[in-house]
Amino acid sequence: MATLSTITEVWRFREVIKNFVAQDLKVKYRRSYLGFFWSLLNPLLQLAVISAVFSLIFKFEIRSYALYVLSGLIPWSFLATSITESSMSVITAESMLKRQYFPKLIFPLSIVMQNMVTFVLSLIALLCFLGFFIGFTLTPSLMILPLSFLYIMATALGLGAIAAVLNVYFRDVQHLIGVFLSAWFYITPIIYPMEAKQAQDNGAQVKPGAPAEMIDAGPIPHEYRQYFKINPFFSIIEMFHRPIYDGKFPTQSEFIAATVVAFGSLGVGLIFFGYFDQKLIFHL
Amino acid sequence: MEDHFIQLDDVHLTFRIHAARTYSIKETVVNAVLRRNYGKGPTIVNALRGITLNVPNGQRLGIIGDNGSGKSSMLKVISKIYPPTSGKVRYQGFLVPLLEVGIGFNFELSGLENIFLTGAIMGIKRKEMEKKVDSIFEFSELGDFANTPVKYYSSGMTQRLAFSIATEVDPEILLLDEIFSAGDIHWMERAETRMRNLIDRTRILVLVSHQMELFEKYCDRVIWMQKGQIIADGDPAELVERYRATAGAGAGALTGTDNS
C-alpha cells in the first residue's frame, strides 16, 4: 500500500520531474561546444578502443565485432550510469527535502528518465551514422526495440531505487556500487560474444564474411555458458543484441527472462522504496 | 470550496539523531577497551509531544516559544516534510511552506529557468507561472539578469529573486518561518508591503517568529510552545505579554536542546 501511495504521489509531482529532467539535460551540455555530441563521441571513442584492442587479441572480425559491442555497450552504460547516479539522488536532495515535501521516488526517477533520453537518442544516432558502415541492417526484429527500452528502463529504475535507499542508510554503498558494476560488466557478454551460434547464424545469413574465429572459439566454454545465462542482465542486454546485431527477435527464453527481470526489478524496487519512503527523511 | 483547515490530532514527533561522525577503527577499539560509550545508539529527541490543534478557515495563527520548543517542527509536520511518529495531520487547501527562501534553486540555471523550477516545486503549472514572470522580475528588479545563471548573482540578488518568487504565489495555507529577509532600507519597505499583501491573500496563516511585534500585527491567535507541547493558547497581545515576562525571569529553566 505504501507503494501505491508512493506512485500516486509521484504522478502528482510530474511537473517537478519534468523540470528536473529538463534542467539536468540543460546543465549537462551547457557551455560545452559539442553539447549533445559528447553523448555520441564518448561511446564512439570507447567503441573504437575496445574494437581495436579486442579484434587484435581475439582476432574478431573488426566490423561486425564493432556492431556487437555497440549494441551491448550503450545499453549497459545507460544501466550502469542510471544505477550509480540514482544511488546518490536522495542524499543529494537533502537540502530540498528538509525545506519542502517531495515524494522521494522522483529523485531516482528523474535520473533514470534523464539518462534514458540521452541513451535512446545516442543509440539511434549512432546506428544511423555509424551502424551501416559496420554491418547494421534494418530488419523487422527492430520492432522489438521499444519494448527493449521499456524493459531496461524498468530494470534501471527498480535497481536505482533500491540503491538510493541503501545509500541513505549505509554510505558505503556508493563505493561498492562502482566495484560491483564493473565486475558485472565483465561477466555480462558485452565485449565478448556468448555463443558461437550468434556469429554462425550471422555468418550464414546476413554477413557472408563473418569471422570464422568467432564460430570456433566462442570465448566462453560450453560448460560454463549456462552460468552466464543466469545473470539477469544477460537477457536484458540480449534484448538489444538480438535485433541490432543478429537481426532477429530474441529467443523465447531470453524474452521471458527479460520480462521477469524487468518487472521483477521494478516491482521489488518499488515495494522496497515504498517501505522506506517515509523513513528516509530521518536518516539524511 | 471555502473549507480550508489544518487539523493535528495527538501528534508526536520523535527524532533519533545519529552520531554526526563515524568513529575510526582506532577510536572504536580504544573506546571498547576503556569501556567508553560515546556515540553508541542514537540520541532521542521528542520534538512534538501530543499536539492537538485545529486551525479553521480564515485564522492567522502565530507560534511563540524558545528555541527548541518545537515551533519549526510543527511547521515541518504540517507541511509533511516530517511524517509524524504517531497521530494524524490533515489539511485542506493549497499549502505553501516558506520555511526558507530559495529552495531548489539550481545555481547553474538562469534566473528565468529557476522561476519555473521553483514554481513547479511549489506545485504551480508552467502556464500559470508564465503569467507571473514579469511581475517577479519587476519586483526583484532583476529583469536585466533574467538569462544570467544564478551562480553569478550576488547573495543579495539571489535572496531578492527567491523572495519575489515566493511572494508571487497565491497560497490558501501559508506557513512562514522568519522569512522577512534582510536588505537595504529601500528593499525592506517594499518587501514588507509585499509580504503583507501575501498574508492578506492567504486563507490560513501559520507564523513562527522571534519578532514579537509581528504577532500583534498579523495574528488573531497565538499558541505558546514549550518542550514540544502547547502550554498556552489565546489572544496574541496577552500571550506575547506573558511570554515577554518569562524572558527576564526563569528563562534558564525553559531552554531545551535546539533541534529546529
Side-chain angles (χ1 to χ4, degrees):
Chain A
M1 278 313 93
T3 307
L4 206 68
S5 71
T6 301
I7 294 169
T8 51
E9 282 292 85
V10 166
W11 177 247
R12 232 165 41 83
F13 275 71
R14 58 193 180 279
E15 200 76 20
V16 181
I17 300 172
K18 233 190 281 171
N19 269 276
F20 282 168
V21 173
Q23 70 165 16
D24 282 346
L25 287 173
K26 254 184 228 163
V27 170
K28 199 175 195 174
Y29 299 119
R30 180 161 289 179
R31 295 185 46 186
S32 80
Y33 289 105
L34 295 179
F36 174 72
F37 280 98
W38 280 116
S39 292
L40 304 180
L41 275 178
N42 253 330
L44 211 58
L45 295 175
Q46 228 179 329
L47 194 68
V49 172
I50 292 174
S51 303
V53 170
F54 282 83
S55 62
L56 270 176
I57 296 175
F58 290 125
K59 304 209 168 39
F60 293 151
E61 199 263 323
I62 189 159
R63 273 178 36 182
S64 80
Y65 176 65
L67 182 61
Y68 177 81
V69 174
L70 172 80
S71 59
L73 184 67
I74 301 201
W76 174 268
S77 303
F78 160 73
L79 207 54
T81 315
S82 298
I83 295 171
T84 314
E85 290 181 5
S86 292
S87 74
M88 292 303 295
S89 62
V90 175
I91 295 178
T92 321
E94 173 179 349
S95 67
M96 268 197 243
L97 288 171
K98 292 209 163 151
R99 283 163 183 77
Q100 178 141 1
Y101 165 79
F102 294 91
K104 323 290 174 284
L105 190 62
I106 68 171
F107 297 102
L109 180 62
S110 314
I111 296 278
V112 170
M113 287 173 73
Q114 172 221 327
N115 281 305
M116 193 72 195
V117 172
T118 320
F119 164 47
V120 174
L121 290 180
S122 63
L123 185 60
I124 291 173
L126 283 174
L127 285 179
C128 289
F129 296 127
L130 178 69
F132 295 104
F133 297 105
I134 54 177
F136 171 62
T137 46
L138 294 170
T139 58
S141 64
L142 292 172
M143 287 188 306
I144 195 87
L145 277 182
L147 204 60
S148 312
F149 284 129
L150 209 66
Y151 278 14
I152 200 170
M153 188 171 162
T155 312
L157 179 58
L159 298 178
I162 295 172
V165 170
L166 288 178
N167 211 7
V168 170
Y169 285 86
F170 311 102
R171 305 287 155 111
D172 317 65
V173 169
Q174 53 188 293
H175 305 288
L176 287 172
I177 283 176
V179 180
F180 203 66
L181 282 173
S182 66
W184 214 317
F185 173 73
Y186 288 106
I187 62 169
T188 308
I190 292 168
I191 48 173
Y192 53 84
M194 171 79 127
E195 295 166 359
K197 186 168 95 356
Q198 265 179 353
Q200 203 168 20
D201 290 350
N202 237 359
Q205 294 160 12
V206 191
K207 298 181 205 72
E213 291 84 353
M214 269 169 90
I215 301 170
D216 299 332
I220 310 300
H222 272 284
E223 59 267 40
Y224 295 124
R225 282 182 194 166
Q226 48 183 334
Y227 300 114
F228 276 77
K229 285 183 179 172
I230 299 172
N231 174 359
F233 290 159
F234 170 70
S235 59
I236 294 288
I237 297 295
E238 284 311 282
M239 291 286 288
F240 292 91
H241 272 152
R242 288 295 185 193
I244 296 173
Y245 176 71
D246 284 347
K248 288 178 170 176
F249 285 101
T251 64
Q252 199 180 16
S253 63
E254 280 163 0
F255 182 72
I256 293 170
T259 311
V260 170
V261 170
F263 284 101
S265 322
L266 185 64
V268 172
L270 289 184
I271 291 169
F272 189 78
F273 201 93
Y275 179 76
F276 287 100
D277 193 1
Q278 295 282 298
K279 303 185 172 80
L280 291 177
I281 188 76
F282 295 108
H283 293 270
L284 284 170
Chain B
M1 203 51 217
E2 297 292 303
D3 198 23
H4 310 296
F5 65 84
I6 304 173
Q7 226 171 47
L8 280 78
D9 187 15
D10 194 24
V11 169
H12 288 258
L13 179 66
T14 308
F15 290 100
R16 302 161 70 83
I17 297 175
H18 300 266
R21 50 183 293 231
T22 41
Y23 286 81
S24 72
I25 293 174
K26 182 183 145 200
E27 281 172 307
T28 311
V29 171
V30 169
N31 287 345
V33 170
L34 298 179
R35 306 205 170 192
R36 286 181 191 152
N37 214 11
Y38 300 143
K40 281 269 180 68
T43 319
I44 308 260
V45 177
N46 294 307
L48 297 177
R49 299 186 296 164
I51 301 284
T52 298
L53 180 71
N54 276 298
V55 187
N57 195 20
Q59 192 159 75
R60 272 90 179 88
L61 176 73
I63 307 179
I64 55 176
D66 295 333
N67 283 334
S69 58
K71 304 186 300 292
S72 297
S73 297
M74 185 94 121
L75 295 189
K76 288 186 175 183
V77 161
I78 294 173
S79 55
K80 294 189 173 171
I81 293 170
Y82 290 119
T85 312
S86 69
K88 272 208 164 64
V89 177
R90 297 202 317 135
Y91 68 79
Q92 193 166 298
F94 172 49
L95 181 142
V96 173
L98 298 185
L99 307 187
E100 197 159 324
V101 284
I103 22 151
F105 263 23
N106 185 327
F107 287 84
E108 298 290 331
L109 294 179
S110 71
L112 182 65
E113 287 162 328
N114 268 302
I115 290 179
F116 291 121
L117 179 63
T118 311
I121 288 173
M122 292 202 287
I124 300 163
K125 295 221 166 60
R126 197 185 166 94
K127 279 220 174 92
E128 279 174 59
M129 213 58 207
E130 274 166 4
K131 293 178 203 151
K132 299 176 189 291
V133 167
D134 286 341
S135 139
I136 288 171
F137 279 128
E138 190 188 274
F139 184 77
S140 60
E141 296 172 342
L142 289 169
D144 294 343
F145 303 95
N147 295 312
T148 309
V150 171
K151 65 176 169 185
Y152 298 121
Y153 283 23
S154 71
S155 63
M157 286 159 77
T158 315
Q159 278 278 329
R160 246 153 64 200
L161 181 65
F163 180 88
S164 307
I165 301 172
T167 47
E168 186 62 35
V169 297
D170 291 301
E172 289 167 340
I173 301 176
L174 178 64
L175 310 182
L176 280 179
D177 193 349
E178 301 281 11
I179 200 184
F180 296 82
S181 66
D184 53 51
I185 295 175
H186 159 71
W187 165 258
M188 279 292 276
E189 272 173 17
R190 295 173 60 227
E192 211 189 315
T193 316
R194 193 173 162 94
M195 183 56 92
R196 189 176 306 134
N197 287 338
L198 176 70
I199 289 174
D200 288 343
R201 287 203 302 275
T202 185
R203 298 311 182 91
I204 295 178
L205 168 74
V206 181
L207 171 71
V208 166
S209 180
H210 287 287
Q211 293 167 268
M212 291 299 135
E213 65 277 10
L214 293 179
F215 295 115
E216 287 166 69
K217 208 189 289 180
Y218 295 121
C219 299
D220 54 20
R221 176 189 177 190
V222 162
I223 56 173
W224 181 353
M225 293 192 66
Q226 192 181 313
K227 294 183 179 166
Q229 289 174 315
I230 299 174
I231 57 163
D233 182 345
D235 175 62
E238 184 206 324
L239 273 192
V240 165
E241 185 72 18
R242 273 172 57 195
Y243 178 66
R244 278 211 171 107
T246 62
L254 292 175
T255 47
T257 34
D258 190 350
N259 60 282
S260 47

